[in-house]
């Protein structure tokens, strides 16, 4: 039996110290440090180093817990407890000296997320939630926005590294809403989902995402009263590479007018 409150405190500290490391290293980054995993998909040795730091420190918190990580410095094996981690979410921003970027850590027990922590070291913002605990931003409670409609909405999204026909259609549908709604691409999925959670934006959608991009943020958002689904409206948004995350109130309109169909003459 683990003490979730104690673990949460420890994870918050670990995410903050890893975030500080990322912030320091960004200032010293050289062109020669930057590699490509694919077109538009950057990686640096700092992603790998930050992941190793996280794996070592988190590994000490729950002996026997397994890891599912972006950089694959450890091999995933099924287990009762699994840490799902992205050491540096927003690498494209990071390598361009831009923000936001974040550290994202989720803990899964028996296939359910029970803890989520996302830290933005430049803004010094720590989003955190645990099962049956409070959902907090730098220690303060928050809720999702109350905005009801796409009209005058403030909506985040991302462009998948591999854009297929469906993904392109969704982006075209979003463009069809440009006259009535404000859109933002911030470049760190974990942070953008937390922005929905704390009411800064009303919704976020993205295809092509991996579990480490979304596991912590979507848990935090649901703890704040928001809604997360895959593109079929189902619950398989962590492992199915499709996410619509919202304040709940605007969710169906996004499904109807952006994800599933466009709207003629909005
Ligand atoms: P990364 O920085 O760790 O690569 C950018 O749209 C956001 O989505 C970033 O958080 C980025 O994570 C994430 N992302 C993950 N997989 C992606 C994909 N296939 N295409 C685009 N962005 C992806
Ligand atoms: Ca990521």
């Amino acid at each position: 039996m683990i003490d979730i409150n104690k673990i949460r405190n420890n994870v918050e500290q670990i995410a903050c110290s890893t975030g500080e490391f990322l912030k320091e290293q960004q200032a010293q980054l050289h062109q020669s440090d930057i590699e490509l995993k694919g077109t538009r998909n950057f990686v640096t040795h700092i992603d790998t180093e930050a992941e190793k730091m996280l794996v070592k420190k988190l590994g000490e918190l729950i002996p026997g817990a397994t890891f599912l990580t972006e950089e694959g410095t450890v091999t995933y094996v099924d287990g009762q407890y699994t840490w799902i981690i992205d050491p540096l979410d927003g690498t494209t921003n990071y390598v361009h000296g831009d923000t936001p970027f974040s550290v994202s850590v989720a803990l899964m027990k028996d296939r359910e997320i029970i803890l989520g922590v996302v830290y933005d070291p430049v803004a010094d913002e720590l989003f955190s939630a645990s099962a049956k605990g409070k959902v907090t931003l730098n220690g303060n409670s928050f809720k999702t926005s109350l905005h009801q409609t796409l009209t005058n909405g403030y909506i985040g999204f991302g462009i998948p590294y591999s854009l297929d026909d469906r993904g392109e259609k969704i982006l075209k549908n979003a463009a069809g809403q440009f006259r009535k709604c404000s859109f933002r691409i911030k470049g760190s999925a974990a942070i953008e989902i937390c922005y929905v959670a704390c009411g800064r934006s009303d919704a976020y959608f993205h295809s092509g995402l991996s579990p480490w991009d979304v596991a912590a943020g979507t848990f935090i958002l649901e703890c704040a009263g928001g809604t997360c689904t895959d593109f079929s409206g189902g619950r398989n948004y962590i492992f199915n590479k499709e996410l619509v995350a919202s304040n709940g109130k605007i969710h169906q309109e996004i499904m109807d007018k952006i994800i599933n169909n466009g709207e003629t003459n909005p």
Side-chain angles (χ1 to χ4, degrees), residues 55-258:
V55 167
K56 180 169 183 303
K57 290 179 184 167
L58 295 171
E60 288 163 6
L61 296 183
I62 306 176
T66 62
F67 286 88
L68 181 61
T69 71
E70 168 142 29
E71 304 312 331
T73 61
V74 276
T75 308
Y76 171 69
V77 281
D78 206 10
Q80 186 187 22
Y81 288 101
T82 301
W83 296 105
I84 304 180
I85 58 178
D86 191 341
L88 171 45
D89 185 51
T91 308
T92 304
N93 290 350
Y94 190 82
V95 300
H96 290 87
D98 202 357
T99 59
F101 55 87
S102 60
V103 181
S104 174
V105 179
L107 178 62
M108 184 167 72
K109 181 187 180 204
D110 299 326
R111 311 289 290 175
E112 293 285 331
I113 307 296
I114 59 167
L115 170 68
V117 172
V118 175
Y119 182 59
D120 173 344
V122 176
D124 189 22
E125 289 192 324
L126 180 73
F127 297 87
S128 172
S130 54
K132 299 190 189 121
K134 272 195 194 163
V135 51
T136 57
L137 164 53
N138 291 351
N140 300 311
S141 300
F142 58 78
K143 287 201 176 117
T144 50
S145 74
L146 298 173
H147 192 75
Q148 305 264 357
T149 60
L150 269 176
T151 302
N152 296 322
Y154 189 64
I155 303 206
F157 70 99
I159 302 168
Y161 298 135
S162 318
L163 190 56
D164 59 12
D165 289 349
R166 173 110 200 262
E168 202 167 320
K169 179 78 176 44
I170 288 170
L171 296 179
K172 282 183 180 149
N173 293 344
Q177 301 293 327
F178 279 2
R179 285 189 183 81
K180 59 180 191 191
C181 176
S182 300
F183 288 94
R184 293 290 181 273
I185 301 178
K186 295 201 179 275
S188 165
I191 282 290
E192 289 169 285
I193 301 163
C194 289
Y195 283 6
V196 182
C198 73
R200 262 177 218 164
S201 55
D202 304 312
Y204 174 75
F205 61 88
H206 202 310
S207 57
L209 294 178
S210 297
W212 43 81
D213 300 308
V214 302
T218 51
F219 179 73
I220 290 167
L221 172 57
E222 290 209 309
C223 290
T227 300
C228 302
T229 68
D230 54 34
F231 287 174
S232 312
R235 301 273 308 156
N236 196 6
Y237 50 83
I238 294 184
F239 294 96
N240 203 26
K241 297 187 169 286
E242 298 174 348
L243 174 69
V244 180
S246 82
N247 63 6
K249 298 168 179 60
I250 205 174
H251 205 93
Q252 195 55 48
E253 198 181 356
I254 290 176
M255 296 299 286
D256 292 345
K257 296 181 182 168
I258 296 180

